[in-house]
Amino acid sequence: MDTSVPSGIQTLSEEVVHLIAAGEVIDSLAAVVRELAENALDAGASRISISVWAEQWRVRVADNGRGMERHDLQQAALPHSTSKIRSSADLWRVHSLGFRGEALHSLAQLADLEICSRSHADEGWRIRYNSQGEPVYTEAVAIAPGTIVTVSYLFANWMPRRQGLPSAAQQLRAIQLVIQQLALCHPQVTWQLEQEAIASVAHETRPWFTLWAGASAQQILPQLLRDVQPGDLQEWSSPDASLYLLLGLPDRCHRHRPDWVKVAVNGRIVKIPELEQVIFAALRRTLPRDRHPVCFLHLHLPPGQIDWNRHPAKAEIYLHHLEDWKTQIAAAIDAALRLNPSSVADSAYNSRIGQVIRAAEAAGSYGDADREDGSDPDVPIAPLIPLKALAQIHQMYILAEHPEGMWLIEQHIAHERVLYEQLSDRWQLVPLEPPVILNQLLPTQIEQLQRLGIAVEPFGDRLWAVRLAPEPLAQRSDCAEALTELSFGGDLDTAIVATACRTAIRNGTPLSLEEMQALLNQWQNTRNPRTCPHGRPIYLQLEESSLSRFFRRHWVIGKSHGI
Ligand SMILES: [Zn+2]
């Protein structure tokens, strides 16, 4: 126990009171749930049960955290009391969620408030408070260690506020969102929600939803998004644990709407638009058109690096060292997208290869933000994972053996991914000798080529000479056709995609084993081997464990079946 932290509840100075009051707004049932749930988290709870009677304007939150002793409980709802801060400077130093103690006083003012609590050292107590937060009734109760807060008749003395709020159904939806966000940020907690049973005369409750505790957000997110499995997600943590990233793998999950990029700071979902933009940008060209990523980012930082005053109501904040964070986040996404042992299957790697990769990680070469290394096409690339080309199927798929199963890789888009990344790193225009002659160009096409750095000169009647072309197109017999395609519009990235697609090995092209192996090695070292620049999945993985299930290898039949 840290004895330097003052225990018990302190009365705050006037100055702090105003600061707190500004940020602490109880404006809905969801706000009540959020405040009480965050109090429970601060008390170290691992199980939080919440009952909601939306029609009755009543909420009960029960936790198994550290309870309060009688003395603290009697002061808990007094004005300007909190166990966490004593001066305005403390506000910026608190490591816990916020300045929560004040919420109880607000709740006493806005509703009937009752708290039962029991610390390990004390027996349990039930206290009811008046609207000033003073205890008006105290009795001993037999309860398990922890705290149960009941808030009833919310806004009963302030009917206009009730009338301004959305329907009970919408308030329940808001509560669900609050709990989902808290669960992602605090995966160690099991949440059990109940709501009032339909047509219940006695206001009984029925189970609503449960979120089970997990080792990390990777076990929580699949409970929130149907169709997402833990294996569809890749985690990444910085060595100092200040950055945690959970990324939906682009070949396995994405959304219709850009609604699942969430950023949390110190246990709370917040809005930092600059960081959301970094995430969307880092995942460009990994998803199909009009699909959006699934990503949860959690930063843990000293409170001094956060400025909560940006937009308190919307929880929009400023971060210090923003540029550093942007760089780190882009590097983390980069690391999460690459093929590595944990993103394929933990068991899929023999320990020797695992050691090689871990050694490379420790040396900083793996997941490094510097994208130049490893992209030199002249240096033979060491395979990250042991994929062995076995055969070509329909002159379209490479069948590869892997220690834990087999993979099918579509040759055209795997090569397209390789070329796309090479061209993104090094887009070069080379002279055309002799020039390529194009005809019938519209002024917009000429402008477009010039925007891409490709100069065009008149060359006679409705003919134009082009003397520069992207390097991979220069020697091709369809160079004129390719340049015409580029003249139809789009930015440089679009031109790179078009060039990669045109120059990648076509489906229908026969490949030797050596060529297939070389392509596999290059492809698995790309920054995003999972999807092509149009967002299509590149490979299909058949794990030995699933094959074994399919072939019912656990059946004991007899020697005649070769078992
Ligand atoms: Zn293509």
Side-chain angles (χ1 to χ4, degrees):
M1 181 110 178
D2 183 356
T3 50
S4 68
V5 175
S7 66
I9 293 196
Q10 314 281 338
T11 298
L12 293 171
S13 70
E14 197 76 23
E15 178 198 6
V16 183
V17 171
H18 292 299
L19 264 174
I20 294 173
E24 204 110 59
V25 186
I26 303 286
D27 60 358
S28 61
L29 279 172
V32 175
V33 169
R34 188 189 61 227
E35 297 298 332
L36 296 180
E38 289 192 341
N39 277 350
L41 290 168
D42 279 359
S46 62
R47 177 175 285 272
I48 301 176
S49 304
I50 301 173
S51 308
V52 183
W53 296 261
E55 304 280 359
Q56 311 300 314
W57 298 89
R58 182 146 72 104
V59 168
R60 188 177 64 211
V61 175
D63 70 64
N64 65 352
R66 288 181 301 277
M68 283 180 273
E69 292 176 19
R70 183 178 181 175
H71 173 76
D72 284 344
L73 197 53
Q74 282 176 323
Q75 298 194 48
L78 287 177
H80 331 318
S81 291
T82 165
S83 54
K84 300 186 194 89
I85 32 177
R86 285 184 296 169
S87 76
S88 57
D90 287 344
L91 279 179
W92 311 110
R93 255 182 256 133
V94 276
H95 279 259
S96 54
L97 285 161
F99 348 113
R100 312 260 63 90
E102 188 63 13
L104 292 176
H105 179 63
S106 306
L107 288 171
Q109 291 176 295
L110 298 169
D112 282 7
L113 176 67
E114 181 194 280
I115 307 180
C116 299
S117 195
R118 187 186 146 196
S119 73
H120 280 277
D122 199 359
E123 58 185 320
W125 296 96
R126 179 206 311 273
I127 297 194
R128 265 193 232 124
Y129 304 84
N130 65 16
S131 62
Q132 278 82 53
E134 297 156 351
V136 289
Y137 176 79
T138 304
E139 68 169 350
V141 286
I143 59 165
T147 301
I148 305 168
V149 182
T150 308
V151 170
S152 312
Y153 307 111
L154 181 69
F155 305 134
N157 55 0
W158 192 9
M159 291 314 269
R161 167 50 68 84
R162 271 195 192 177
Q163 282 144 17
L165 286 174
S167 69
Q170 280 170 292
Q171 297 213 53
L172 287 170
R173 176 72 191 136
I175 290 169
Q176 191 176 6
L177 279 176
V178 162
I179 298 305
Q180 290 183 346
Q181 298 191 343
L182 287 171
L184 263 186
C185 297
H186 304 274
Q188 74 284 2
V189 176
T190 291
W191 303 81
Q192 281 184 301
L193 277 282
E194 295 182 331
Q195 59 170 299
E196 182 169 12
I198 295 158
S200 162
V201 180
H203 305 307
E204 289 135 354
T205 55
R206 63 181 168 95
W208 178 11
F209 66 93
T210 300
L211 299 174
W212 301 102
S216 72
Q218 187 168 18
Q219 283 82 48
I220 306 302
L221 202 145
Q223 300 182 57
L224 311 182
L225 287 182
R226 222 176 301 158
D227 304 333
V228 174
Q229 308 290 324
D232 300 338
L233 304 164
Q234 177 66 39
E235 286 182 315
W236 194 89
S237 291
S238 63
D240 65 355
S242 64
L243 187 159
Y244 170 85
L245 176 81
L246 184 65
L247 184 67
L249 293 171
D251 56 337
R252 304 201 193 170
C253 63
H254 32 73
R255 308 271 301 163
H256 280 295
R257 281 179 293 152
D259 59 350
W260 252 97
V261 169
K262 312 262 185 216
V263 177
V265 170
N266 294 359
R268 236 184 189 196
I269 300 275
V270 292
K271 295 294 285 180
I272 313 178
E274 298 88 348
L275 298 189
E276 290 171 21
Q277 282 156 20
V278 170
I279 294 169
F280 281 110
L283 293 165
R284 273 194 77 218
R285 291 290 173 201
T286 67
L287 296 171
R289 187 195 299 242
D290 298 330
R291 301 293 295 186
H292 305 278
V294 173
C295 182
F296 171 61
L297 173 73
H298 197 170
L299 304 180
H300 298 274
L301 5 138
Q305 291 190 18
I306 307 165
D307 181 353
W308 291 92
N309 275 347
R310 184 172 184 164
H311 198 317
K314 286 186 175 169
E316 212 172 292
I317 64 172
Y318 290 113
L319 283 192
H320 302 182
H321 314 298
L322 187 66
E323 291 307 312
D324 289 351
W325 285 113
K326 287 181 175 177
T327 309
Q328 283 198 48
I329 291 162
I333 292 176
D334 213 71
L337 282 177
R338 286 175 189 255
L339 283 186
N340 66 59
S342 62
S343 71
V344 177
D346 281 340
S347 57
Y349 298 86
N350 63 42
S351 55
R352 194 187 62 78
I353 284 163
Q355 279 159 11
V356 169
I357 291 168
R358 271 192 294 279
E361 273 185 64
S365 60
Y366 167 73
D368 200 295
D370 178 8
R371 291 177 167 185
E372 293 304 311
D373 58 57
S375 61
D376 186 341
D378 301 331
V379 177
I381 296 168
L384 273 175
I385 50 176
L387 271 184
K388 183 178 162 206
L390 292 184
Q392 194 187 24
I393 297 167
H394 294 315
Q395 300 184 343
M396 193 183 315
Y397 305 107
I398 300 170
L399 174 66
E401 185 183 44
H402 181 276
E404 293 291 320
M406 63 176 93
W407 290 21
L408 281 178
I409 297 100
E410 200 201 291
Q411 64 189 38
H412 169 71
I413 55 175
H415 195 212
E416 188 177 280
R417 167 52 66 182
V418 170
L419 296 177
Y420 170 73
E421 294 193 2
Q422 284 176 0
L423 290 172
S424 300
D425 292 340
R426 196 164 47 187
W427 175 253
Q428 250 186 318
L429 298 174
V430 296
L432 289 173
E433 200 56 56
V436 167
I437 308 301
L438 301 181
N439 60 16
Q440 308 275 9
L441 286 183
L442 298 170
T444 53
Q445 289 177 282
I446 295 168
E447 280 168 33
Q448 168 64 14
L449 287 174
Q450 275 160 353
R451 257 200 302 279
L452 295 173
I454 301 169
V456 176
E457 303 161 14
F459 195 72
D461 187 27
R462 279 181 281 176
L463 293 180
W464 283 267
V466 184
R467 299 187 188 277
L468 281 176
E471 190 189 6
L473 300 177
Q475 299 305 321
R476 292 178 65 92
S477 58
D478 62 353
C479 184
E481 201 184 311
L483 288 168
T484 307
E485 184 188 357
L486 296 187
S487 75
F488 286 131
D491 57 6
L492 177 61
D493 194 57
T494 312
I496 291 174
V497 173
T499 304
C501 183
R502 180 174 289 272
T503 53
I505 299 164
R506 306 265 104 200
N507 285 332
T509 309
L511 295 178
S512 71
L513 273 181
E514 291 71 31
E515 288 167 325
M516 287 190 277
Q517 188 63 53
L519 174 55
L520 290 185
N521 294 354
Q522 277 193 310
W523 159 73
Q524 63 167 281
N525 276 283
T526 55
R527 295 193 285 274
N528 172 27
R530 297 179 172 279
T531 52
C532 81
H534 305 101
R536 287 170 52 204
I538 294 177
Y539 71 100
L540 171 70
Q541 180 186 349
L542 285 171
E543 280 168 42
E544 171 53 27
S545 53
S546 357
L547 293 173
S548 152
R549 248 192 323 276
F550 176 80
F551 288 109
R552 309 288 193 272
R553 203 160 300 138
H554 55 283
W555 285 13
V556 179
I557 296 168
K559 280 199 183 334
S560 62
H561 287 74
I563 292 170

